[in-house]
């Protein structure tokens, strides 16, 4: 059985719990990532019969040998000497500084506590779901994605000063697209370079976009982080990447003779505003001639890295660099360099990003896209202000899939259709005296929301301003598709420039929904979805064992976006986001199960085993689909509700009916208890507790009835008790029938799963699960359109509903009423 990605992530994150304690995330990440590394290379290369495997596993230095050390009093030292050191000796690309010290008492404790901690850590990686011989990082890079998951969490927990080793993968993907690398324009000799590579995630995104083996080279100043990068490249199945340690500015490692090596593609996320950039360097005497345009300020190293990147690009090279927004507008020495950059033609685009996106800082940053090819002919710089498209993700902001796609689409097509988002800015405008080569995006793109102006005349005399009804930002797009709806909603207010509602405010929504034009709009949307479904159902039905999930989601999501871009009023990117959210939440796991096990095996239920929770008590980790005695089972691919909805509707409805009966009886019991509580209540003698915690035990009802017998003095109480007891008996009867019905349905479910044919499974998964959920996403976008339109019209109608003259009259009338009441109370003067 294949592991779900979500389960893999959970298992890996559990390993962190073994180490957390008082250790900083920036420290314990090194231990967890090494365990992931040693487990992966042992599974993938431990039994390799290749003549020259990319990683050599010496005898006695595999993960199995670490397992043998569990419980050993000298476990930490033996891992260092018998596992790590032999690996380094046999693999020249690895260095001792790449790996943590497993015998460090300051981090791991001493004596039995260290032995237990390391033994538990090893045990976690022994779990069946972490068998990477079956779940290798091929095709869809399951392990590489898991590494990214860990790095994001480590960066989040490492804090402001220690999270810079990781570039958010969303930004890395944009950069890889922006430099234009793809399988169509790469070959074995293609080169890519990152001068400040951190843990290597940015460089690897470029390699992934290339779609083939290319030459990867990176340099990183921090030796531990460089080790992370080396492990990262191996885990991503790029063991030939060269990662070297050292200061890129003062001691660049990649040279051809005495000159800097140049590359086809360069990407970088340098440390923001590095105050020590010139340490060990005399810029004026730089032998690599990187500072001919000027020397950056001593306390602002951003342009130093940018100039190194430009010098490292081939004559047709492409590059993308993340820098703080300050590089776009700061003055003095940076202004001189910026002018030279603009005049060179190398700067192809600027992409402004949201604030609080990066782990080392909360300040907003931008991507500078460089291209030396045809630089002299470049007449403008394409600018994108993408600062408003993001989601909150814990303490940080995060780009959504729709934000990434919109940025990439806009950049690739040089799309200027929304001037509040992007435009091509001529060099002449940038060089104009009023701008003086200042590149600050707000100078050229006004992305602020237009002010919602109040109309004084409308407030004074009533009527909704036509200006608001035909507002080009908020409403005009609706009327181009629904002109009849506009006419059905509004009529002249009796004076030029103002309208009033034809219908009461409460009927706005119904007027829109019931209009034939809105029905036609909905029908068009349904037709587009049917068109997409017809085109993509064969892809979904045809997905099979050994299929590539990432290729599948790319194909169907791109087609969904392309299909709905033709839909008026709908946000195609929002619809795309619905699909990508569902992919991340459920569909991705489904596809990996199918790719590994096939449809039939993947659909079969697995037994759920109880685990210990945080209170160290046994608990069920997830909901079950059905039970057999005390055993519980769940199908990841076909949840019970989907199987029931197709095959067991009468049984489901019968259970729902019994549940409704039970709820009705319980309500009656609650009402009788509330009515007859208190000192004079007929049920007071059998009620326990107070307030919301009041209850009546059945045994107390029976005991009280027996106690009072047929005493006529207690006739009323006896009747109330008997009525309550009758309801209790009904409740017990319904509960018994409900339990029987549920057990019978569970028996039918358990028998049905093994009998499902592959075609039936596909119908359940593709039609009833995947396509039904995607259709819900389309409907939610339709709902958003109608809600936005209804909400805006209601807002305008309520805003101008009562003019000032009428308000004044109301105030006078209310004042007169108050005075009349006061006079009737004997108050003659106010």
């Amino acid at each position: 059985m294949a592991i779900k990605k979500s389960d893999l992530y959970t298992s890996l994150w559990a390993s962190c719990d073994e180490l957390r304690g008082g250790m900083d995330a920036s420290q314990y990440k090194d231990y967890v990532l090494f365990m992931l590394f040693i487990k992966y290379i042992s599974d993938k290369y431990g039994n390799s019969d290749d003549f020259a495997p990319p990683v050599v596993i010496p005898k006695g230095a595999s993960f199995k040998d670490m397992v043998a050390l569990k419980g050993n009093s000298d476990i930490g030292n033996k891992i260092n000497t018998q596992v790590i050191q032999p690996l380094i000796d046999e693999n020249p690309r690895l260095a001792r500084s790449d790996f943590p010290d497993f015998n460090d008492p300051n981090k791991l404790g001493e004596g039995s506590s260290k032995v237990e901690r390391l033994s538990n850590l090893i045990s976690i990686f022994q779990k069946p779901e972490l068998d990477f011989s079956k779940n290798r990082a091929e095709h869809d890079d399951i392990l590489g994605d898991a590494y990214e998951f860990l790095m994001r969490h480590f960066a989040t927990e490492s804090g402001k000063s220690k999270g810079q080793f990781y570039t958010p993968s969303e930004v890395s993907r944009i950069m890889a697209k922006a430099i234009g690398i793809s399988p169509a324009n790469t070959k074995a000799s293609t080169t890519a370079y990152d001068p400040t590579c951190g843990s290597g995630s940015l460089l690897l995104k470029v390699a992934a976009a290339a779609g083939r083996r290319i030459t990867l080279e990176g340099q990183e100043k921090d030796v531990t982080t460089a080790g992370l990068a080396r492990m990262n490249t191996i885990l991503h199945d790029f063991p030939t990447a060269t990662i070297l340690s050292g200061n890129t500015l003062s001691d660049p490692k990649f040279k051809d003779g005495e000159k800097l090596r140049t590359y086809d593609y360069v990407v970088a996320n340098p440390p923001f505003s590095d105050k020590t950039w010139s340490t060990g360097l005399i810029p004026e005497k730089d032998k690599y001639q990187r500072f001919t345009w000027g020397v950056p300020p001593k306390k602002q190293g951003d342009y130093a890295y940018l100039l190194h990147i430009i010098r490292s690009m081939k004559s047709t090279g492409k590059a993308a660099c993340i820098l703080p927004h300050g590089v776009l507008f700061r003055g003095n020495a940076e202004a001189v360099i910026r002018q030279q950059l603009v005049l060179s033609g190398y700067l192809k685009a600027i992409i402004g990003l949201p604030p609080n996106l990066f782990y080392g800082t909360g300040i907003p940053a931008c991507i500078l896209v460089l291209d030396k090819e045809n630089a002299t002919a470049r007449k403008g710089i394409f600018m994108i202000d993408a600062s408003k498209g993001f989601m909150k993700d814990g303490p940080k902001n995060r780009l959504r899939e729709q934000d990434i796609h919109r940025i990439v689409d806009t950049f690739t097509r040089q799309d200027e259709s929304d001037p509040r988002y992007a435009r091509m800015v001529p060099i002449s405008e940038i060089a104009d005296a009023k701008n003086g080569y200042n590149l600050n995006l707000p100078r050229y793109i006004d992305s602020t929301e237009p002010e919602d102006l109040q109309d004084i005349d409308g407030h004074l005399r009533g009527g909704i301003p036509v200006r608001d009804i035909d507002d080009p930002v908020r409403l005009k797009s609706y009327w181009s598709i629904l002109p009849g709806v506009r006419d059905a909603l509004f009529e002249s207010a009796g004076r030029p420039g103002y309208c009033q509602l034809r219908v009461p405010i409460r009927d706005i929504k119904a007027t829109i929904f019931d209009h034939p034009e809105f029905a036609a709009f909905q029908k068009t949307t349904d037709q587009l979805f049917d068109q997409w479904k017809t085109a993509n159902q064969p892809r979904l039905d045809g997905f099979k064992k050994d299929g590539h999930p990432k290729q599948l989601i790319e194909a169907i999501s791109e087609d969904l976006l392309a299909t709905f871009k033709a839909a008026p009023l709908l946000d195609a990117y929002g619809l795309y986001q619905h699909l990508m959210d569902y992919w991340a939440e459920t569909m991705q796991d489904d596809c990996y199960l199918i790719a590994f096990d096939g449809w039939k095996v993947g659909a079969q239920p697995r037994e759920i085993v109880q685990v210990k929770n945080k209170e160290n008590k046994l608990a069920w980790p997830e909901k079950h689909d059905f039970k057999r005695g005390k055993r519980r089972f769940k199908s990841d691919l076909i949840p019970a509700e989907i199987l029931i909805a197709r095959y067991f509707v009468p049984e489901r409805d019968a259970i729902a009916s019994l549940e409704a009966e039970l709820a009705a009886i319980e309500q009656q019991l609650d009402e009788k208890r509330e009515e007859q509580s208190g000192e004079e209540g007929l049920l007071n003698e059998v009620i326990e507790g107070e307030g919301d915690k009041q209850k009546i035990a059945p045994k107390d009802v029976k005991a009280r009835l027996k106690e009072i017998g047929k005493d006529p003095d207690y006739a009323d109480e006896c009747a109330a008790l008997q009525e309550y007891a009758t309801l209790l008996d009904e409740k017990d009867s319904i509960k018994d029938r409900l339990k029987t019905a549920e057990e019978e349905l569970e028996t039918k479910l358990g028998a049905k799963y093994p009998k499902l044919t592959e075609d039936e499974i596909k119908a359940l998964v593709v039609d009833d699960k995947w396509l039904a959920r995607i259709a819900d996403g389309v409907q939610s976008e339709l709902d958003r359109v109608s809600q936005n339109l209804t909400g805006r019209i209601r807002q305008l109608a309520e805003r101008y509903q009562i003019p000032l003259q009428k308000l004044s009259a109301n105030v006078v009338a209310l004042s007169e009423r108050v005075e009349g009441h006061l006079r009737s109370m004997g108050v003659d003067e106010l």
Side-chain angles (χ1 to χ4, degrees), residues 458-460 798-815:
H459 283 298
L460 290 173
E798 291 174 346
R799 178 181 295 173
Y800 299 106
Q801 185 177 16
I802 306 175
L804 182 62
Q805 185 178 4
K806 189 173 181 180
L807 280 173
S808 299
N810 289 344
V811 170
V812 171
L814 288 170
S815 296

Side-chain angles (χ1 to χ4, degrees), residues 407-557:
I407 291 171
V408 171
D409 285 351
T410 303
F411 172 81
T412 304
R413 299 167 187 165
Q414 304 280 283
D415 182 1
E416 298 183 80
S417 60
D418 183 358
R420 298 174 62 248
Y421 185 74
R423 61 180 287 245
M424 176 64 76
V425 182
I427 299 295
S428 58
E429 184 178 344
I430 296 167
D432 188 274
K434 69 176 181 181
N435 292 318
Y437 294 94
N438 186 314
L439 297 175
N440 201 21
L441 293 176
R443 282 178 175 260
Y444 308 99
I445 300 174
D446 182 8
S447 62
T448 57
E449 286 293 325
E451 188 178 354
D452 191 7
L453 299 173
Q454 300 283 337
D455 188 277
I456 299 300
D457 195 61
H459 283 298
L460 290 173
R461 301 166 60 193
I464 304 169
V466 173
R467 178 200 65 202
D468 286 339
I469 295 170
D470 294 332
D471 175 26
V473 174
R474 296 182 176 90
L475 286 177
K476 190 175 182 179
S477 59
Y478 291 99
W479 310 139
S480 62
I481 306 301
L482 308 169
V485 173
R486 185 189 188 283
D487 294 338
L489 288 167
F490 301 107
E491 62 185 3
S492 172
R495 66 187 202 280
Y498 293 87
C499 289
Q500 63 187 19
L501 276 179
R502 289 182 183 272
V503 299
I505 289 178
R506 64 177 180 273
D507 293 339
I508 291 174
K509 184 175 182 180
T511 302
I512 295 170
F513 273 66
D514 295 342
H515 198 280
E517 286 181 352
F518 193 80
F521 165 65
Q522 288 184 304
K523 185 177 180 181
T524 299
T525 303
D526 292 340
Q527 288 171 342
L528 286 171
F529 181 70
D530 289 341
Q531 174 187 324
W532 174 83
K533 191 166 97 171
T534 300
N536 288 277
Q537 181 130 19
R539 285 187 176 126
L540 298 171
D541 287 333
F543 190 75
K544 57 187 179 181
K545 188 174 182 179
D546 297 324
H548 298 170
K550 284 187 179 177
Q551 289 181 8
L552 176 67
I553 187 58
E554 182 176 3
I556 67 171
S557 63

Side-chain angles (χ1 to χ4, degrees), residues 268-500:
N269 179 14
F272 286 2
S273 302
D274 186 357
K275 292 178 172 54
T276 60
W277 71 271
S278 60
T279 302
L281 175 68
I282 303 175
E284 294 81 0
K285 296 182 180 180
D286 180 46
K287 62 182 178 180
Y288 307 110
Q289 299 180 323
R290 290 172 289 186
F291 306 105
T292 55
W293 288 354
V295 177
K298 282 194 174 182
K299 299 297 184 181
Q300 301 281 1
D302 302 308
Y303 272 105
Y305 291 100
L306 186 66
L307 293 171
H308 175 87
I309 289 167
I310 291 171
R311 200 69 177 168
S312 300
M313 297 166 63
K314 289 182 178 179
S315 60
T316 57
K318 316 289 189 287
C321 179
I322 302 168
L323 292 173
H325 267 295
V327 301
L328 302 177
F329 56 80
R330 290 194 297 247
N332 302 318
E334 290 185 313
V336 174
I337 300 171
R338 186 166 57 247
Q339 180 174 342
Q340 293 298 315
L341 174 64
V342 172
L343 294 174
S344 70
Y346 294 163
L347 184 56
K348 183 177 183 179
I350 302 169
I351 302 170
L353 299 172
N356 200 26
L357 209 60
F358 296 90
Y359 292 94
T361 178
I363 65 173
C366 58
I367 300 172
L368 299 191
V369 184
L370 307 170
D371 189 352
K372 285 190 175 181
E373 190 172 16
N374 300 321
T376 55
R378 193 160 286 127
K379 301 299 182 184
I381 298 172
F382 193 68
M383 297 187 183
I384 301 175
D385 184 352
S387 59
K388 293 180 172 57
F390 62 89
M391 61 176 278
K392 291 294 295 179
D393 184 17
K396 306 301 289 183
N397 293 332
R398 185 173 179 180
L399 293 172
R400 299 164 295 181
E401 291 294 328
Q402 65 177 7
D403 303 320
I404 298 167
H405 214 301
R406 188 182 183 196
I407 291 171
V408 171
D409 285 351
T410 303
F411 172 81
T412 304
R413 299 167 187 165
Q414 304 280 283
D415 182 1
E416 298 183 80
S417 60
D418 183 358
R420 298 174 62 248
Y421 185 74
R423 61 180 287 245
M424 176 64 76
V425 182
I427 299 295
S428 58
E429 184 178 344
I430 296 167
D432 188 274
K434 69 176 181 181
N435 292 318
Y437 294 94
N438 186 314
L439 297 175
N440 201 21
L441 293 176
R443 282 178 175 260
Y444 308 99
I445 300 174
D446 182 8
S447 62
T448 57
E449 286 293 325
E451 188 178 354
D452 191 7
L453 299 173
Q454 300 283 337
D455 188 277
I456 299 300
D457 195 61
H459 283 298
L460 290 173
R461 301 166 60 193
I464 304 169
V466 173
R467 178 200 65 202
D468 286 339
I469 295 170
D470 294 332
D471 175 26
V473 174
R474 296 182 176 90
L475 286 177
K476 190 175 182 179
S477 59
Y478 291 99
W479 310 139
S480 62
I481 306 301
L482 308 169
V485 173
R486 185 189 188 283
D487 294 338
L489 288 167
F490 301 107
E491 62 185 3
S492 172
R495 66 187 202 280
Y498 293 87
C499 289
Q500 63 187 19

Side-chain angles (χ1 to χ4, degrees), residues 401-402 405-406 409 413 528 557-580 777-778 781 784-785:
E401 291 294 328
Q402 65 177 7
H405 214 301
R406 188 182 183 196
D409 285 351
R413 299 167 187 165
L528 286 171
S557 63
E558 291 299 320
D559 194 42
L560 186 75
L561 186 61
T563 299
F564 279 91
K565 275 192 173 177
L569 301 182
L570 290 179
D571 178 5
Y573 288 108
L575 188 52
Y576 170 83
Q577 184 66 42
H578 281 293
L579 173 54
M580 298 310 292
V778 175
E781 276 302 303
R784 182 194 59 78
V785 170

Side-chain angles (χ1 to χ4, degrees), residues 17 22 28 36 88 96 140-141 171 277 282 389 419 436 445 497 618 645 653 667 751 803 816 828:
D17 288 329
Y28 70 69
L36 180 63
I88 295 164
R96 184 64 189 90
D140 286 292
D141 211 7
V171 180
W277 71 271
I282 303 175
I445 300 174
L618 285 175
D653 292 347
Q667 184 176 351
E816 290 175 351
D828 295 328

Side-chain angles (χ1 to χ4, degrees), residues 750-770:
K752 184 66 177 177
Y753 275 109
K755 295 178 181 176
L756 291 170
T757 66
E758 186 165 308
D759 286 342
E760 288 175 323
I761 292 168
K762 287 182 179 180
L764 287 160
V765 176
V766 176
D767 297 331
D768 299 358
K769 186 180 182 183
W770 294 348

Side-chain angles (χ1 to χ4, degrees), residues 62-316:
S62 70
F63 178 75
K64 287 182 180 178
D65 298 301
M66 290 183 70
V67 171
L69 295 174
K70 288 198 313 181
N72 190 299
S73 60
D74 197 24
I75 183 173
N77 179 57
K78 288 184 182 295
I79 291 174
N80 284 342
T81 57
Q82 296 179 12
V83 178
I84 294 177
Q85 193 57 50
L87 274 174
I88 295 164
D89 294 340
E90 290 292 334
N91 297 278
R93 290 177 182 270
L94 302 178
R96 184 64 189 90
S97 58
D98 295 354
F99 307 117
D101 181 0
F102 275 79
N103 206 32
D104 186 341
N106 295 321
K107 295 178 181 177
L108 300 170
E110 297 186 81
S112 60
S113 64
K114 178 175 67 177
V115 174
E116 182 179 3
R117 178 174 277 183
L118 291 178
S119 297
N120 289 343
L121 181 61
I122 293 170
S123 295
I124 287 170
F125 283 83
Q126 282 183 272
K127 290 182 178 180
E129 58 262 34
L130 297 181
D131 180 0
F132 301 128
S133 64
K134 296 178 181 177
N135 293 283
R136 291 193 294 270
E138 294 175 1
H139 305 312
D140 286 292
D141 211 7
I142 297 174
L143 200 55
D145 289 349
Y147 186 90
E148 289 284 345
F149 166 84
L150 286 173
M151 295 301 281
R152 182 185 292 279
H153 279 272
F154 289 140
T156 300
E157 293 202 357
S158 291
K160 186 172 181 180
S161 62
K162 298 174 183 176
Q164 297 186 28
F165 57 82
Y166 176 69
T167 301
S169 62
E170 298 84 8
V171 180
S172 301
R173 287 162 55 196
I174 292 171
M175 295 172 74
K177 293 286 188 182
I179 59 176
I181 191 168
S182 71
N185 58 20
T186 54
K187 49 190 176 182
S189 60
T190 299
T191 56
Y193 168 60
D194 185 342
T196 56
C197 70
S199 60
S201 56
L202 178 49
L203 196 59
L204 283 163
K205 282 292 184 292
V206 172
R212 68 180 73 222
R213 295 290 180 191
I214 61 173
T215 299
L216 298 182
E217 295 182 340
Q219 185 167 341
E220 168 55 39
K221 181 163 62 174
D222 184 89
V223 292
T224 303
T225 305
L228 289 180
R230 278 186 279 269
M231 284 193 286
N232 196 3
T233 56
I234 292 171
L235 289 169
H236 278 80
D237 211 19
F238 261 91
T240 57
T242 302
I243 308 294
L244 300 178
S245 302
N247 187 318
T248 291
L249 295 180
S250 62
D251 184 23
K253 299 294 185 182
F254 296 98
K255 297 179 287 188
D256 291 324
E258 290 302 308
K259 294 183 178 181
L260 291 179
R261 186 172 299 167
T262 56
Y263 298 85
D264 297 302
Y265 300 97
V266 184
V267 288
N269 179 14
F272 286 2
S273 302
D274 186 357
K275 292 178 172 54
T276 60
W277 71 271
S278 60
T279 302
L281 175 68
I282 303 175
E284 294 81 0
K285 296 182 180 180
D286 180 46
K287 62 182 178 180
Y288 307 110
Q289 299 180 323
R290 290 172 289 186
F291 306 105
T292 55
W293 288 354
V295 177
K298 282 194 174 182
K299 299 297 184 181
Q300 301 281 1
D302 302 308
Y303 272 105
Y305 291 100
L306 186 66
L307 293 171
H308 175 87
I309 289 167
I310 291 171
R311 200 69 177 168
S312 300
M313 297 166 63
K314 289 182 178 179
S315 60
T316 57

Side-chain angles (χ1 to χ4, degrees), residues 781-800:
E781 276 302 303
L782 269 172
D783 293 342
R784 182 194 59 78
V785 170
S786 60
Q787 288 164 6
N788 286 352
L789 178 57
T790 302
R792 179 58 177 168
I793 294 171
R794 182 186 295 275
Q795 181 186 44
L796 292 173
E798 291 174 346
R799 178 181 295 173
Y800 299 106

